[in-house]
Amino acid sequence: MAVWSFGRIGLSLALMLALTLTLCSCDSDSGDDEPTISRRTICAYMISETLEDPILRNVQMMVTGSTSINRDDVLLVYLDRPRKNSILMRIKEGRKDTLQVYDSDLHSTDPVVMNRVIKWCFDKYPSQSYVIVFASHGSWWLVRNDSVAVTRTPKTSYAYDNNGETINIPSLKYALSGLPKLDFIMWDCCNMQCVEVAYELKDVTTCLIGSPAEIPSAGGAYNTLLPVMFSNKSTYREDIVEEYVRNYETQGGDSLPFSLIYTQHIDNLARVTAEKLHLFMPEAPLDLKLNGHIFYFRDNKRMGDAVMYDMNNVMLTQIAQGDTANADYKEWKQALDMVVTLKKRGTHWNSSTLKYDDFYSFYKYMSSDKYYGGVSMFFPSSSYKYSSWDYNKDMHQLGWYYAVRWADFGW
């Protein structure tokens, strides 16, 4: 699967005041047997435009997996299906209970709608721990001018909704503001495990779980994932990463890059990265040569541009020419390891944008943990300017641009 890019919010106060989410069906839970405060509330926010069949299978797997979780665990699923009224369900004990049927097919990528839906979930089911699972289409941090855009292109960070509306990452941060800080966000969508997204969301979530690469349309195997996601083990976040990847390797024969990011120390990573970029980054219009390095996305809408390079691969190669004993690289890697605390390396993951020659050119990197970092990073290039989509300008809307001082190099 894949998910979203979040930019300027651009919503008037009038819209925010006028927005109503009409309740058309009753809450099927009486509430009498609900705990006052649950141990963990998970809200799965699922937008199934162009992914209806696999996401419906995901929901059914959640129903199966719910028989293996505790009675006081709360799993809520917001489901937006094409041309159908959006619904909110609670899944427990092997069944789906409809909590709300909204009066329309909501614009689920509107940050006001998103905030209101999730806030209702968390207010209705207070908890010691809050989690969001995002499932839809995604392409890292790429931004649009408006938070609700109407076009179907890969230039979006999270979700295709209705006629292709998307939401940009800064708008996602806005949508999640005012909510309890999340225990983690899990991206069941493509390309979202990038440092720019992690930095933008550092104040709204403790962790991010996902892949810097494309995720197959099947998504997560929730029949076995749910018990892990609701586990009370101290390592349950790490166990989610292991279980997600294990299912692909043992059942489908695929593997994929997957990682766990803690946001607590990402400011330090930004500081050290800014320092180390000065060791090798040329000033514009000269470009950093990254041929043969691991990257996770080829933008076939922009003449096949390679973007989303593996952060560790680039820094190790450019700072230390592959020498892990290099003092500057060791200092930087220590900062990275405090942020990306667990990473699983895929060697034969599926991709709809990368070519065979791409995998062949960076085979030595993919076959070794030495180079794989588990998170992507954008590196500017003059080639990105020659298009109506200028990535070099777009990234000015992200906090990471300023944190690593890209302006020092003329970008």
Side-chain angles (χ1 to χ4, degrees):
M1 283 186 229
V3 178
W4 324 351
S5 112
F6 297 67
R8 286 178 288 178
I9 296 164
L11 293 170
S12 67
L13 179 60
L15 172 61
M16 296 174 67
L17 294 174
L19 179 65
T20 58
L21 306 180
T22 304
L23 181 62
C24 298
S25 73
C26 296
D27 187 333
S28 63
D29 278 343
S30 68
D32 294 338
D33 58 350
E34 301 297 338
T36 303
I37 298 179
S38 66
R39 190 170 52 83
R40 183 165 300 136
T41 294
I42 296 179
C43 174
Y45 200 89
M46 311 182 85
I47 302 178
S48 66
E49 307 291 332
T50 76
L51 287 171
E52 186 172 20
D53 287 344
I55 283 186
L56 289 179
R57 286 194 294 271
N58 291 158
V59 172
Q60 189 54 46
M61 295 172 86
M62 289 178 175
V63 172
T64 301
S66 69
T67 60
S68 300
I69 64 178
N70 295 326
R71 189 172 181 274
D72 62 344
D73 292 328
V74 177
L75 173 61
L76 305 173
V77 176
Y78 171 78
L79 180 61
D80 183 336
R81 299 177 63 183
R83 299 171 299 280
K84 296 182 184 294
N85 288 18
S86 304
I87 64 174
L88 181 66
M89 303 172 286
R90 180 174 182 187
I91 295 178
K92 64 176 184 178
E93 298 175 335
R95 71 176 192 269
K96 294 180 292 185
D97 294 334
T98 298
L99 303 180
Q100 298 197 33
V101 177
Y102 299 95
D103 64 349
S104 65
D105 179 5
L106 296 180
H107 290 271
S108 301
T109 52
D110 184 319
V112 175
V113 171
M114 185 183 296
N115 177 272
R116 190 158 181 172
V117 168
I118 298 173
K119 185 177 187 301
W120 187 95
C121 293
F122 290 170
D123 286 349
K124 174 70 174 178
Y125 297 96
S127 176
Q128 300 172 23
S129 165
Y130 297 95
V131 169
I132 298 178
V133 175
F134 284 118
S136 182
H137 287 286
S139 343
W140 56 315
W141 59 266
L142 297 182
V143 299
R144 291 192 178 282
N145 290 333
D146 300 309
S147 58
V148 180
V150 284
T151 180
R152 288 185 183 275
T153 76
K155 192 180 179 186
T156 170
S157 302
Y158 175 64
Y160 299 150
D161 180 34
N162 296 336
N163 293 319
E165 291 93 340
T166 66
I167 182 169
N168 296 315
I169 297 299
S171 296
L172 177 61
K173 177 182 178 180
Y174 168 83
L176 301 180
S177 64
L179 301 173
K181 188 165 185 177
L182 301 168
D183 207 17
F184 68 86
I185 292 173
M186 189 175 90
W187 305 112
D188 203 2
C189 43
C190 299
N191 301 129
M192 296 303 291
Q193 204 75 330
C194 62
V195 70
E196 293 86 0
V197 169
Y199 189 83
E200 201 71 17
L201 301 182
K202 62 186 175 70
D203 296 325
V204 299
T205 186
T206 300
C207 298
L208 299 105
I209 297 172
S211 175
E214 292 170 73
I215 289 179
S217 61
Y222 290 96
N223 54 324
T224 62
L225 269 174
L226 274 188
V228 183
M229 295 173 74
F230 281 105
S231 168
N232 58 9
K233 292 174 59 177
S234 61
T235 60
Y236 84 100
R237 300 180 190 89
E238 289 78 8
D239 295 341
I240 292 170
V241 173
E242 299 283 356
E243 180 64 20
Y244 196 106
V245 173
R246 184 194 67 80
N247 273 288
Y248 274 96
E249 292 179 341
T250 60
Q251 297 183 23
D254 294 324
S255 64
L256 72 163
F258 218 70
S259 66
L260 172 61
I261 291 175
Y262 276 83
T263 59
Q264 179 182 1
H265 301 292
I266 201 167
D267 282 314
N268 182 59
L269 176 62
R271 179 188 63 80
V272 179
T273 300
E275 294 175 359
K276 303 310 177 186
L277 285 174
H278 282 271
L279 298 176
F280 65 87
M281 190 69 194
E283 292 188 9
L286 297 177
D287 295 330
L288 184 65
K289 304 304 180 185
L290 296 177
N291 293 341
H293 289 62
I294 302 173
F295 61 91
Y296 297 107
F297 189 76
R298 186 180 284 283
D299 190 348
N300 293 322
K301 300 292 185 180
R302 296 188 79 257
M303 301 174 289
D305 283 332
V307 287
M308 301 172 63
Y309 285 88
D310 188 278
M311 191 180 187
N312 181 63
N313 186 181
V314 174
M315 300 299 280
L316 173 58
T317 305
Q318 298 297 326
I319 294 174
Q321 294 73 53
D323 179 10
T324 56
N326 177 279
D328 284 305
Y329 171 73
K330 287 176 67 176
E331 181 185 4
W332 178 84
K333 184 61 161 50
Q334 183 179 27
L336 177 68
D337 289 345
M338 294 178 69
V339 173
V340 184
T341 60
L342 176 64
K343 56 185 184 292
K344 305 294 289 186
R345 172 176 47 83
T347 57
H348 52 279
W349 38 282
N350 290 323
S351 171
S352 62
T353 65
L354 271 63
K355 308 169 185 175
Y356 174 80
D357 289 345
D358 294 329
F359 292 102
Y360 181 79
S361 68
F362 51 68
Y363 173 76
K364 69 174 182 179
Y365 297 138
M366 294 180 65
S367 61
S368 171
D369 287 333
K370 170 181 174 180
Y371 288 99
Y372 170 59
V375 62
S376 70
M377 178 177 168
F378 175 77
F379 290 86
S381 169
S382 294
S383 66
Y384 297 145
K385 295 191 296 186
Y386 303 114
S387 170
S388 58
W389 304 339
D390 188 340
Y391 295 162
N392 303 320
K393 288 184 178 178
D394 287 347
M395 68 174 174
H396 289 205
Q397 298 186 44
L398 278 295
W400 183 256
Y401 169 83
Y402 302 96
V404 299
R405 305 198 307 269
W406 275 125
D408 290 359
F409 307 101
W411 300 109

